[in-house]
Every structure is written in structure tokens, then in C-alpha cells.
Amino acid sequence: MTRLFNDPAAFADEALEGFAAAHRRWVRPVTGGVVRATATPAGQVAVVIGGGSGHYPAFSGLVGRGLAHGAAVGNVFASPSAQQIRSVARAAHGGAGVLLMYGNYAGDVLHFGQAAERLAADGIDARTFAVADDISSAAVDESAKRRGIAGDLPVFKAAAVAAEQGLPLDEVVRVAERTGSRTRSFGIAFSGCTLPGADSPLFTVPEARMAVGLGIHGEPGIGEEALPTADEAARLLVGTLLKELPEDVERPAGQRAAVILNGLGSVKYEELFVVYRKVAALLGEAGVEIVDPEVGELVTSFDMAGVSLTLTWLDDRLEELWRAPADTPAFRKGALDAPEQDGRTPLAEDPEDTAVPPASAASRHAVGTALAALDAVAATVGTHADELGRIDAVAGDGDHGIGMLRGSTAALRAATDAHGLGAGAGTVLARAGDAWADKAGGTSGALWGTILRSLGTALGDQDAPDAARAAAGITEASAAVRRLGGAEVGDKTMVDVLVPFADTLADAVAAGLGLTDAWDRAATAATEAAAATAGLLPRKGRARPHAEKSLGTPDAGAHSLALITRAVHGALLDHAREDHAREALLHDHH
């Protein structure tokens, strides 16, 4: 388990701060992550990688010459936010564009995609590429749905070396695509990992058993088998990967491969070497020439006891890129000349925008209700955070509770600050949404940011918010979440609650109910819909590879949304009573 921490919510930030302090020769800290200590040469494409904390040396440890120009680092097992990624990319940009690279997880896809859009608005050409190497997470005909695990390293490295060779952005992207299409990984685990502050692992493996096909976020494996010997583990890893070759590789004999035997956190190096001796022998028997193998911890999962094997099938060009020198805090290969010292002062951070648009008195008055609702949301999430984490850990990574807590707390703080500047209801909710997305990261962070921004846009800063505007905002939030996340009703996500909630609210308002009564009816529909997700099989997100495990348990995102809708109703009811009491006092006074 993770024993050394202060506030668990601050663990990722404090770890990154200590990492940067320990490795000043290679990196310097910027908002959202780290970049190389020396500037990206003018005219060179910048490769910016990223993902959640808990995987060191991925991602910050892979920043340096021959590898990434920068890394955006999210909270524990949560993707960095779009704003963090944008900040790192702007600091790393050398004038020739940026390639954003990450593992193929829903939250990363959302946030890196949004960051690319924001960079484009800044005038920076930005592309994205998701590594999807884990063959256990989807069938070969659905390889685009596969997770990114230890195969991140060879794909990141190939693209970065191509960038350093001066190739333009389009060519660097093609190198990433070529390497990704020829990279496969498969893993096993003997115990789950424990997040900072947690008193139990995200999943457990029975004594004398192993989980097969695990992820790197504490997701359980897709199956269990008897605990193997080291040689049996090697046979399983090699045999599984040799069954699926890239389309342009007919047979393993005569092929070259970069080989990575990766420890996931608690397996000692000596154990890895015992396994690798058999891996090397089996690949040799199959006629595979091993090129510059790597054995060690390269993409971890806190203290998970497990190993994964990665094969990247090489051609002459990919072998050149794999063999190229690299010098980073955690990955070194070959020799490089001493770098020229960068005498510049660090780039100034973007100044925080404190100005708010003008707002009417009616809109500013309504902010009191919005703040009460956000306070109720944060309190409810705080009460249920552990429960949400347990639900999420059944088939996911167990971080939903802590992510929701970070997001809702940040949203309330940002809304309070905006209110202090005289903002109207629309701006208050929009800034709350941006803060939620920025501090929570992950899929739910992006989606909750979208919900609050959609509602804020509908309410605006000029007119007094009313039931019709609120219903319209929730309807737009429902549509926006579906557009952004790609989920529909039945996929076992928050959409299964958001759609009936939005539809019921709109129908109730159209029928003439006031906002409080209409919200009550919609919250009841949300609660029923959340409970019904227990009978669904997930078709999206990290729970998808473990669909059967989640039967009988509601979706964590759906459950948290239902809890929040009911909490907001309580805030609306309290404010309605206060308004009624105020009106009665005024009536009695007159």
C-alpha cells in the first residue's frame, strides 16, 4: 500500500513538485506538468505526452532528449485537464506544432482533444495520437478501443526521435501511427494497488491465483488462472502475443522486435529477470530477433504486483528510432553530447483572468441559489466519496469518488470567487465548470465541466433565471455530454441518468410546474434510472472490458449524478422557503 503521503488529494501535486526538484538537469516545472530543461529548438515539432499520476516513470520521467518535450500530469489515475495539457504544450512549443500523445482512455481522449482545439485557437498546430496496445481490452477487430499500457514507451519514443530529426508534424504523426500499429502488450497481476489514503486495494486476487489481462489503473483482469511459475508466466505472455501479429507480419520467424518486460510496481527486478530469461528463450525459439530489450519498471500502477510484456515489431526505420539515444530522468539509452544550457527565463504563465462580464442585478441575485446548489453538491459528494469509489472499483479504477470530490470542491471555490467579483449566474456556473474539469481531470471531469458550462450559457448574465431557461440548459447539457463522450442510453454511463433527468425536467416545466417541483420530479426519475443501471452491461469506458463483473452494481457516474440531482433539489427547496418567508415578512410589514 502507499504509506508516505500527506493529504491524499494533494499527493499528485506534491509528487510532481518533488520529482521536478530532484531532476532539474532534465526538466523544469510548468503549470500542469513539466517540460525539458532546455527549450525546444526553433522549428522542431514538440512531442507532449501525458496521463494520470501513479504510473511513474510514465509520464514525467520520460521527458528529455530522445523522448518527450513535455508531459502533462493529472491526478492519481485521472487524465490531466485540457487546460493543463494546453499549458504544457504552449511551454514546449518550438514553432513547428505539437503532437499530443497519451494512452487510449476516455478521459484522456476528451481532454487531449479539447486541448488540441484550444491550441489551434492559440495559433498552434496540434495533433493527437492515442496508444492502444493492450490486446486483452478489446478484440482485434475493435483494436481502436484498446487501452494504452506499456506500449506507450516505444510509440512515444519513435515519434519524439522523428521530431528531433526535423520531420514535419504530419510525418511525426505517421511515425506514431506506424509504431502504434506494430505494438502489442499483455499483462498479468497477482495483487491490486492501493491508492494514497485508501485502506484496501482496488481489487484483490485470491491466494494462489493471478489476474489475466489487467489494466494499469487498478482495473481487475478479464479472467483468473492458477498462480504460475516464472516460466509458465513467460509462456503465457509470449504465447498470447505471438497469436496476434500485425497485418503485415505473416509469421514471427525472421522478424525483429523491441521487447519490454514491465514491472507494475511490486514485482522485484530479480523476479523480472527470472521471467525474462524464459521470454528471451521462447522468442528465440520462435525465430524472433530481440532488439535492445528493456526489463524494469516503465509504466507502473502504484504498488500493483504484476508484469506486462510488450512487443513492437520492427522494420529498418522503426529499429533506427528504437535504438536512438535518449536521456531522461527514468529512461536512458546510448550516449548524447552534453546539452547546451538554456539561459532564458521560464515562460510567463498565462495571467489569471479575473475580469467578469457585466451582469444584471437579477442575475447576480440568482447566484445565491447557484452557490447553495454547488455547496450541496460538494457536501453530498464528500459524504458519498468512499461509496462512489467502491462502486467504481467493481469494474473500473476506483477513482470516481476522489475525482468527484476534487471537482465539486474546486467548482464551489471558483463559483464563490466569481461571485465575489460581481459575476452573474451564467459566468459563475461557467467558471465552476472550468474549475471542475481542470481539477478533477478524467472523463467525469470533462463531462461535469460541460454540464455546468451548458447550464451557465443557457442562464446567461442578464435575465433573471427561470424554470424554462434552467430546463433548456439541462437539455443542452444532455446533448453536449452525448456528443463529447459518445455514449447513449443503455451504455451504462451517466448518460443513462442525464437523459431521463433532462427529459423529465423539460416535460414538467412545459406542463407548468415551477423549477423546484419540476426538479423534484426529474430527480426522482434520475434516482430510478441510476438504480436500473445495475442491470446493464457497460459498453463504454474502463469498465467495458470487465462488463460481467459490473452486473448487479450501478454505474458510479450514474449513481453520483442521481445523488447530485436530489441534493440540488434540497438547495432549491430551501431557497424557495427562504423567498416565501421573505415575501411574507414584507407583506406583514406593509
Side-chain angles (χ1 to χ4, degrees), residues 284-377:
E285 291 169 10
V288 178
E289 178 186 345
I290 297 172
V291 177
D292 279 8
E294 294 287 342
V295 180
E297 293 184 345
L298 295 159
V299 180
T300 62
S301 184
F302 271 113
D303 58 337
M304 183 188 289
V307 298
S308 64
L309 181 66
T310 298
L311 301 180
T312 297
W313 298 93
L314 304 172
D315 55 23
D316 290 346
R317 175 63 171 145
L318 296 187
E319 181 172 345
E320 173 199 353
L321 298 172
W322 176 242
R323 285 188 183 275
D327 182 27
T328 78
F331 183 86
R332 296 166 208 170
K333 185 188 288 284
L336 288 163
D337 294 334
E340 294 181 11
Q341 289 304 306
D342 180 16
R344 68 178 179 175
T345 56
L347 291 176
E349 301 288 344
D350 288 336
E352 187 176 350
D353 183 13
T354 56
V356 297
S360 69
S363 183
R364 289 198 302 271
H365 175 72
V367 169
T369 303
L371 290 177
L374 289 168
D375 185 53
V377 169

Side-chain angles (χ1 to χ4, degrees), residues 17 263 339 536 589:
E17 181 183 349
L536 297 176
H589 180 72

Side-chain angles (χ1 to χ4, degrees), residues 106-166:
D108 295 279
V109 172
L110 289 177
H111 286 288
F112 278 90
Q114 290 176 339
E117 293 173 359
R118 295 184 189 182
L119 290 166
D122 294 335
I124 297 174
D125 192 2
R127 313 290 174 82
T128 64
F129 184 79
V131 181
D133 57 303
D134 177 18
I135 68 171
S136 68
S137 55
V140 66
D141 58 348
E142 292 187 305
S143 58
K145 296 181 179 179
R146 288 177 169 176
R147 303 177 289 211
I149 53 175
D152 285 354
L153 174 62
V155 184
F156 292 167
K157 186 175 187 296
V161 175
E164 289 189 339
Q165 291 175 344

Side-chain angles (χ1 to χ4, degrees), residues 28-31 33-36 38-40 46 48 69-70 84-94 98 119 124 344 346-349:
R28 63 182 177 88
V30 296
T31 299
V34 293
V35 295
R36 292 186 189 179
T38 53
T40 300
V48 173
H69 296 76
Q84 288 176 295
I85 299 159
R86 172 177 173 264
S87 170
V88 173
R90 282 169 58 93
H93 186 227
V98 178
L119 290 166
I124 297 174
R344 68 178 179 175
L347 291 176
E349 301 288 344

